């Protein structure tokens, strides 16, 4: 047996690969790492499927899960509805907001705590700024009401006659 054969026998004999074992100390074996990754992924998917498995859930549990999904969409749609109501009937909207301004401060604090707990990390300063903006809006209500009354009392004769033929035709049709 030659020198080279003995060296290879020492390095690779006895189902060992000294070079591979030495390199794996410094660099992960890609094939073994991929195999471990597959096992980790399979374990994670099994844990997740066990967590969301619907076995043995009563009708009450399913109903409560459905109810717990309602507050956020209802609040978002309610805000959009309030925005629409403010545009359609500002006086009606302002009257409702005036009623909200009369809610006692401790009740606002309680509502703030509940909403903060449910949605997480809401700051009281934002709620107080919202309340201040409501008060500012309500302060403008008398001016808005006066403007609406003024607009309703206008008639077509108060528009100055500037020789506009279309306007004159419209006035003739209104008199019939």
């Amino acid at each position: 047996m030659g020198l080279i054969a003995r060296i290879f026998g020492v390095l690779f004999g006895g189902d060992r690969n000294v070079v591979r074992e030495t390199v794996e100390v410094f660099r992960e074996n890609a094939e073994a790492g991929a195999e471990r990754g597959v096992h980790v992924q399979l374990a994670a998917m099994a844990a997740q499927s066990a967590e969301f498995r619907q076995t043995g859930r009563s009708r009450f549990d399913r109903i409560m899960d459905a109810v717990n999904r309602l507050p956020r969409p209802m609040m978002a749609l309610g805000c959009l509805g309030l925005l629409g109501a403010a545009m359609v009937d500002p006086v009606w909207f302002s009257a409702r907001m005036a009623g909200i301004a009369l809610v006692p401060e401790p009740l606002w604090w309680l509502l703030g705590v509940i909403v903060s707990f449910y949605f997480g990390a809401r700051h009281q300063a934002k709620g107080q700024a919202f309340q201040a903006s409501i008060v500012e809006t309500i302060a403008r209500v008398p001016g808005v009401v006066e403007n609406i009354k003024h607009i309703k009392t206008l008639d077509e004769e108060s528009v100055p006659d500037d020789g506009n033929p279309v306007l004159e035709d419209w006035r003739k049709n209104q008199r019939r």
Side-chain angles (χ1 to χ4, degrees), residues 47-62:
Q48 185 178 20
S49 69
E51 181 179 349
F52 291 103
R53 190 170 291 128
Q54 298 283 335
T55 57
R57 294 178 52 90
S58 68
R59 176 177 284 176
F60 176 78
D61 289 335
R62 292 191 306 266

Side-chain angles (χ1 to χ4, degrees), residues 7 19 21-22 37 64 98-99 146 158 161:
I7 292 174
V19 175
E21 291 173 4
T22 304
M64 291 314 297
E146 283 301 315
S158 65
D161 188 16

